[in-house]
Amino acid sequence: MTCNALPLLGARDPALPLAWHAGQPISAGRFLAEAQALAGRLPAAGPAVNLCQDRYRFALGLAAALLRGHTSLMPPNALPETLRRLRDQGPAPYALVDHDEVDAADLQRVSVIREADAPAADRVPAIDGDLSAVCLLTSGSTGAPQPHPKRWAPLVRNIAAEAERLAELMALPSLAGLTIVATVPPQHSYGFESSVLLALLGGASFDSGRPFYPADIVAALQRLPRPRALVTTPFHLKTLLLAGVDLPVVDLVMSATAPLSPQLAAEAEAKLGARLIEIYGCTEAGQVAARRTTDGEVWTALGELHLWREADADGGERFLVEGGHVTEPTPLADILELLDERRFRLLGRAGDLIHVAGKRSSLAHLNFHLNRVPGVQDGAFWLPDEVADGVVRPVAFVVAPALTAHEVIAGLRERLEPAFVPRRVVLLPELPREATGKITAATLRQLAARHAADDAPA
């Protein structure tokens, strides 16, 4: 252990809840005892691949690996092919699993089970701050997962900055007692930071489940005491508000992975009685900024972070962030409008910019307006690779049971320049989104191929 050792848990009463399972609290002391017992059963060497779906067992696996000095790998998915790539790219990892049906692709399996007889611990162990605690893996263009290692000390600073900002925006002295329900998986950077780590290091507690359907989200929230928070995405939030179910009072809603419209944010605050906070970040830098969406479009950097603009090698510009938990200048994949070194407006992803008939926009901007059309429950634009008559024609995939393609286009004509109004709308019962609510360009390309002859130009 080095002098840079930092505690596994933030300051808290070990007798109070760290997690909840089926409405029953699990104390921080009980969690520590179970994590230490699991650590004793882990292989001598890592890394670990944490495939646990139950959020509490995921946290147990994470803590046990940290106690053994092992890195936890978090791949973009749990497909056998992805796991085989991890096995072939370095030291063979072992797989932390919480049910027998998980296909671990011949990796050594370690079942994450709860130790009912372990006495509650009252001492919090320390973790080497320089330890590569987790390695987030994103899908690369070659198909090979791209690694983004995160050391323990920067993760601690990251969560401290997030907890301070959230408490400030909620007008609370701290997040002590806040209980979290999250619809996003713990393996995703947002779900990892804003549910698991926000409890371990930020003073909150979390529900062990990952509810998806509106009725399940409501039931999970109702089982928990207030103050309570919902950590979700724009897609899940919109689905919840459209479901017509009775909504419980929620003190905080957090949203990330895609920009949230101010209209949806205002509706969420009115129906849930909550403050809605958006988190902006990326896998490379972690959490970068936050805003209360109903207060305006300006984002403010977390903690000691600051941002700046510089020219890139291609004669364009890029935006970078550094400070606090971001220990070296890190480029962002988005185009920003900087107001100063800590405040900015988000204009869209650099790779999201599109040009049609001499006009420039972004897919995020088009999707924002598509999802504001009354009657549209979900929708996404796609720009085909092929060009017709010298002009690329955008396509819109839309879930709108009560609308025709012509009505969707009429709604978009009120909001978009003519060049960006799609010539073709594909009406679908649902969009094939990932667990985080995202939908990839590859998925949209496959949708376009599948439905090429289904809809004539509208």
Side-chain angles (χ1 to χ4, degrees):
M1 191 66 65
T2 70
C3 61
N4 192 30
L6 295 167
L8 175 63
L9 299 184
R12 65 191 307 145
D13 186 337
L16 293 181
L18 175 76
W20 296 77
H21 178 73
Q24 299 300 310
I26 304 171
S27 71
R30 166 61 58 187
F31 170 81
L32 289 173
E34 294 181 10
Q36 289 165 342
L38 176 60
R41 296 195 293 109
L42 297 184
V49 181
N50 198 328
L51 302 179
C52 295
Q53 297 301 301
D54 178 275
R55 203 173 304 269
Y56 180 72
R57 294 175 192 261
F58 173 92
L60 278 181
L62 170 74
L66 288 170
L67 291 171
R68 290 298 297 271
H70 297 172
T71 301
S72 291
L73 305 179
M74 298 187 192
N77 57 63
L79 296 174
E81 177 60 26
T82 301
L83 300 181
R84 279 190 286 270
R85 285 179 181 272
L86 296 181
R87 183 187 58 197
D88 297 339
Q89 287 177 348
Y94 59 88
L96 295 165
V97 299
D98 57 0
H99 58 278
D100 294 337
E101 293 75 21
V102 174
D103 186 347
D106 299 325
L107 297 180
Q108 180 181 356
R109 299 165 64 97
V110 177
S111 294
V112 178
I113 58 175
R114 299 191 56 190
E115 301 286 346
D117 298 330
D122 56 7
R123 185 183 67 84
V124 177
I127 306 298
D128 185 347
D130 293 325
L131 173 67
S132 179
V134 300
C135 185
L136 298 164
L137 298 135
T138 56
S139 297
S141 57
T142 63
Q146 303 300 305
H148 301 280
K150 306 287 182 178
R151 293 183 293 114
W152 184 241
L155 283 175
V156 171
R157 290 195 292 270
N158 185 346
I159 301 307
E162 179 189 19
E164 180 182 13
R165 176 63 55 78
L166 292 176
E168 174 190 334
L169 291 169
M170 294 179 69
L172 294 174
S174 73
L175 298 186
L178 180 72
T179 55
I180 295 170
V181 169
T183 65
V184 286
Q187 287 86 357
H188 183 270
S189 57
Y190 166 48
F192 173 61
E193 293 165 339
S194 293
S195 65
V196 176
L197 287 189
L198 200 57
L200 267 59
L201 300 171
S205 62
F206 63 87
D207 183 74
S208 66
R210 197 190 95 199
F212 179 82
Y213 296 107
D216 295 332
I217 296 172
V218 168
L221 288 167
Q222 289 176 333
R223 286 194 296 264
L224 298 175
R226 293 184 62 191
R228 54 198 174 201
L230 176 62
V231 173
T232 191
T233 69
F235 170 68
H236 292 132
L237 182 60
K238 186 175 183 179
T239 302
L240 175 65
L241 297 179
L242 288 172
V245 296
D246 291 333
L247 299 174
V249 174
V250 178
D251 300 272
L252 171 68
V253 175
M254 292 174 61
S255 179
T257 74
L260 191 66
S261 74
Q263 294 83 359
L264 186 59
E267 182 183 359
E269 291 198 345
K271 290 185 176 179
L272 292 165
R275 293 194 177 206
L276 190 145
I277 308 301
E278 281 190 273
I279 300 292
Y280 168 73
C282 60
T283 305
E284 295 80 3
Q287 298 172 114
V288 172
R291 68 176 180 182
R292 184 180 181 188
T293 315
T294 55
D295 284 346
E297 58 184 339
V298 175
W299 298 83
T300 302
L302 297 175
E304 301 174 5
L305 297 177
H306 61 276
L307 302 100
W308 70 98
R309 177 179 56 196
E310 68 177 25
D312 62 23
D314 298 324
E317 61 182 11
R318 65 176 186 168
F319 298 84
L320 298 96
V321 61
E322 187 183 20
H325 63 274
V326 182
T327 56
E328 57 185 35
T330 301
L332 300 173
D334 295 288
I335 304 297
L336 312 180
E337 178 189 343
L338 294 180
L339 304 180
D340 53 44
E341 67 171 11
R342 292 186 45 79
R343 298 182 307 128
F344 62 90
R345 294 186 180 93
L346 181 62
L347 303 183
R349 295 187 69 81
D352 216 18
L353 296 179
I354 61 173
H355 295 82
V356 177
K359 303 285 186 178
R360 188 175 82 158
S361 186
S362 73
L363 292 173
H365 176 77
L366 301 183
N367 290 340
F368 173 85
H369 286 288
L370 174 58
N371 284 279
R372 288 182 63 195
V373 174
V376 171
Q377 297 179 3
D378 193 13
F381 269 84
W382 179 65
L383 204 63
D385 300 318
E386 64 273 7
V387 175
D389 302 326
V391 179
V392 179
R393 305 294 186 185
V395 176
F397 299 96
V398 182
V399 179
L403 299 181
T404 66
H406 291 279
E407 289 170 330
V408 172
I409 287 178
L412 287 172
R413 284 196 179 113
E414 298 176 5
R415 294 167 170 80
L416 300 177
E417 292 188 72
F420 298 110
V421 175
R423 296 297 182 91
R424 187 160 159 258
V425 168
V426 180
L427 294 172
L428 299 170
E430 63 179 358
L431 297 187
R433 293 186 179 271
E434 298 176 340
T436 58
K438 292 184 178 180
I439 184 166
T440 65
T443 299
L444 292 175
R445 186 175 290 107
Q446 292 167 3
L447 270 181
R450 191 181 313 148
H451 294 277
D454 288 1
D455 296 79

